[in-house]
């Protein structure tokens, strides 16, 4: 069991008030709050080891380089990657997918080739493929918000070059059967990219057990700073991809006639990386892992169940009733615009997300312009759900 009271003390922002009310933060799918140890790791990096990495022989540069590469090894262990060379630091999931779309597109795709995605994708896993002039084949969903896996296998053709799917929907909370998705793709010799932005903070991810070819996630959704993220890729695939950007660090040698590239993973890390952010990301991963996945899952499942039952009892329409869900609930109240819900809850100190959640195609499938969304983290409590529900009842009374 998690000691929630003690745990919440690690997050000073949770002691804040909004409009004179205690902050109830239920927008964790957008970004999580940061524990004190992560912020302290940032401060420590800037005050004690701030020097450009990989290029200096002086003490601070060597110290910063080792901290950055140790952070890479921490991510490797967190994902159970085979090698630290398979961990590429990015600015987040969006850059990771754009990087892969650009590099993989140059190496293996031609305009009109096909990428299989799901109906529940974030724009970040739609637009990059369109920029590469790829044709998107979409796995549909049923009325519960689950993928129609029988249709999925029928989407493969001789022009299918990649499967790119979300692990967990940021709207529906659906946990997709990514192991089965990968297994089916293997029968067609097609690599798979998993968008893990909404997964890694809530469940263990073992990229070797999944046999994922590529896996991406963002630090700011897993208690780490903004502007840092990860693209995991199998070494045998990354070696065949061209660099995403050119500049310092990604080179082995440069002349005016030709350039040779560095080895993995630095081939994909042009310029000065966020070497302070990477160490803070590693600290966040250690912090999260210290609680144990079973305890985290039990706590968040209890929150999800309580909120689902109470919203259902209040007459809310919940979008997504998958058998396996994560800590996200999107809902609507009859005759009340989602924006109004979010605005009025905010005046009560309750932070929720409203809108299309960067998933406009899914909204069209659901037949709505947007939803209100609550999403949980390990520091949320049952009492906060009760406060939310009291706020919703108050809003219903106003309308």
């Amino acid at each position: 069991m998690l000691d929630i009271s003690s745990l919440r003390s690690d997050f000073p922002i949770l002691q804040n008030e909004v409009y004179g009310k205690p902050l109830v933060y239920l927008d964790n799918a957008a970004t999580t709050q940061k524990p004190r140890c992560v912020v302290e790791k940032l401060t420590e990096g800037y005050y004690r080891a701030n020097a450009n990495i990989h290029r200096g022989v002086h003490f601070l540069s060597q110290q910063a380089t080792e901290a950055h590469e140790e952070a890479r090894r921490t991510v490797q262990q967190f994902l159970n990657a085979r090698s630290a060379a398979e961990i590429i630091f990015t600015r987040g999931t969006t850059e990771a997918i754009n990087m892969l779309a650009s590099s993989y597109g140059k190496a293996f795709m031609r305009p009109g080739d096909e990428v299989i995605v799901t109906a529940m994708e974030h724009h970040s896993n739609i637009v990059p493929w369109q920029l590469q002039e790829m044709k998107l084949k979409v796995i549909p969903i049923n009325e519960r918000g689950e993928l129609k896996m029988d249709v999925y296998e029928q989407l493969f053709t001789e022009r299918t070059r990649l499967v790119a799917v979300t692990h967990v929907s940021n709207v529906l909370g659906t946990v997709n059967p990514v192991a089965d998705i990968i297994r089916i793709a293997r029968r067609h010799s097609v690599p798979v990219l998993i968008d893990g932005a909404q997964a890694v903070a809530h469940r263990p991810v073992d990229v070797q057990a999944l046999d994922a070819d590529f896996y991406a996630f963002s630090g700011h959704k897993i208690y780490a700073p903004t502007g840092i993220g990860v693209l995991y890729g199998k070494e045998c695939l990354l070696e065949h991809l061209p660099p995403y950007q050119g500049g310092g660090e990604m080179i082995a040698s440069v002349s005016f006639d030709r350039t040779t590239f560095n080895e993995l993973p630095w081939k994909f890390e042009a310029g000065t990386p966020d070497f302070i952010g990477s160490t803070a990301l590693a600290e966040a991963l250690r912090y999260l892992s210290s609680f144990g996945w079973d305890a985290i899952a039990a706590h968040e499942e209890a929150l999800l169940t309580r909120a689902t039952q109470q919203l259902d009892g209040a007459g809310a329409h919940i979008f997504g009733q998958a058998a396996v869900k994560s800590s996200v609930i999107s809902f609507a109240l009859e005759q009340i615009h989602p924006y109004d819900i979010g605005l009025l809850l905010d005046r009560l100190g309750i932070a929720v997300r409203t809108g299309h959640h960067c998933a406009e195609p899914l909204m069209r499938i659901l037949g709505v312009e947007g939803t209100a969304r609550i999403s949980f983290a390990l520091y949320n409590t049952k009492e906060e759900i009760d406060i939310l529900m009291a706020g919703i009842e108050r809003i219903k009374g106003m309308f």
Side-chain angles (χ1 to χ4, degrees):
M1 299 292 293
L2 297 179
D3 182 349
I4 302 301
S5 178
S6 174
L7 185 157
R8 284 177 64 87
S9 68
D10 294 337
F11 295 83
I13 198 171
L14 298 180
Q15 312 308 315
N16 285 3
E17 290 189 348
V18 176
Y19 302 116
K21 304 289 195 304
L23 171 64
V24 175
Y25 186 79
L26 297 172
D27 193 22
N28 297 284
T31 198
T32 53
Q33 300 303 334
K34 320 308 174 193
R36 195 185 308 273
C37 63
V38 168
V39 178
E40 289 174 349
K41 181 61 70 170
L42 288 172
T43 303
E44 177 186 339
Y46 282 117
Y47 286 172
R48 301 187 63 183
N50 181 35
N52 212 328
I53 63 173
H54 292 145
R55 301 165 194 159
V57 297
H58 61 81
F59 178 81
L60 282 185
S61 178
Q62 294 293 310
Q63 189 178 36
T65 298
E66 176 53 33
H68 181 65
E69 294 306 326
E70 178 60 30
R72 195 188 309 275
R73 292 188 288 272
T74 298
V75 177
Q76 173 201 350
Q77 294 164 7
F78 184 78
L79 295 177
N80 192 34
R82 187 185 62 83
S83 166
E86 298 178 320
I87 303 301
I88 300 166
F89 285 118
T90 69
R91 289 184 300 152
T93 307
T94 296
E95 184 177 59
I97 296 175
N98 275 273
M99 174 189 295
L100 186 63
S102 176
S103 296
Y104 193 87
K106 288 178 182 177
F108 298 115
M109 294 175 166
R110 298 294 179 268
D113 282 347
E114 297 168 356
V115 176
I116 295 176
V117 298
T118 76
M120 58 184 76
E121 296 305 322
H122 190 282
H123 296 165
S124 294
N125 198 27
I126 297 174
V127 180
W129 308 111
Q130 292 173 333
L131 290 174
Q132 297 298 318
E133 300 183 60
M134 299 296 108
K135 180 180 179 181
L136 297 180
K137 304 288 285 293
V138 182
I139 311 171
I141 58 175
N142 62 23
E143 65 282 353
R144 291 170 57 86
E146 300 164 326
L147 294 179
K148 294 183 178 180
M149 294 295 288
D150 55 332
V151 177
Y152 165 52
E153 189 154 14
Q154 299 171 19
L155 297 178
F156 287 88
T157 73
E158 74 245 356
R159 299 205 68 175
T160 304
R161 296 293 177 263
L162 190 74
V163 175
V165 299
T166 184
H167 196 158
V168 175
S169 169
N170 75 314
V171 174
L172 306 173
T174 303
V175 180
N176 286 322
V178 291
D180 294 335
I181 289 170
I182 293 169
R183 200 157 35 241
I184 290 170
R186 287 286 169 270
R187 296 205 290 263
H188 298 271
S189 300
V190 174
V192 180
L193 160 69
I194 304 297
D195 171 356
Q198 298 295 335
V200 290
H202 307 288
R203 60 194 59 249
V205 174
D206 185 330
V207 292
Q208 291 193 78
L210 286 175
D211 195 26
D213 298 291
F214 304 100
Y215 197 99
F217 72 91
S218 299
H220 73 98
K221 296 180 189 291
I222 189 169
Y223 310 103
T226 58
I228 189 73
V230 169
L231 174 65
Y232 156 82
K234 286 182 177 177
E235 192 169 359
C236 60
L237 292 173
L238 292 175
E239 285 177 341
H240 293 287
L241 301 186
Y244 175 54
Q245 296 177 324
E249 195 53 44
M250 50 75 65
I251 59 94
S253 176
V254 175
S255 72
F256 288 117
D257 297 317
R258 66 188 298 268
T259 295
T260 56
F261 304 127
N262 205 343
E263 60 187 11
L264 293 174
W266 305 291
K267 180 175 76 170
F268 293 101
E269 295 181 354
T272 299
D274 187 358
F275 57 88
I276 303 294
S278 65
T279 61
L281 170 60
E283 184 68 20
L285 299 184
R286 288 189 291 267
Y287 176 83
L288 179 64
S289 300
S290 70
F291 297 106
W293 287 112
D294 289 344
I296 293 170
H299 175 64
E300 293 185 352
E301 180 64 27
L303 295 175
L304 181 66
T305 299
R306 187 184 188 92
T308 301
Q309 291 174 346
Q310 293 197 24
L311 282 167
D312 188 57
H317 179 81
I318 296 175
F319 299 93
Q321 300 280 359
V324 183
K325 282 192 64 171
S326 190
S327 300
V328 174
I329 305 175
S330 288
F331 67 95
L333 298 174
E334 189 174 358
Q335 304 298 318
I336 307 176
H337 195 281
Y339 180 80
D340 291 328
I341 296 173
L343 192 64
L344 292 169
L345 286 175
D346 178 56
R347 301 300 297 189
L348 300 174
I350 305 166
V352 304
R353 181 68 46 163
T354 63
H356 55 61
H357 315 299
C358 293
E360 284 191 66
L362 177 58
M363 292 297 131
R364 294 190 186 99
I365 293 170
L366 298 176
V368 296
E369 293 183 0
T371 72
R373 184 187 72 186
I374 58 174
S375 48
F376 308 115
L378 54 83
Y379 44 65
N380 288 125
T381 68
K382 294 178 180 179
E383 290 74 20
E384 288 181 318
I385 295 173
D386 296 340
I387 294 170
L388 167 72
M389 294 310 304
I392 287 175
E393 290 297 337
R394 184 172 174 179
I395 292 170
K396 288 170 59 182
M398 293 173 62
F399 283 83

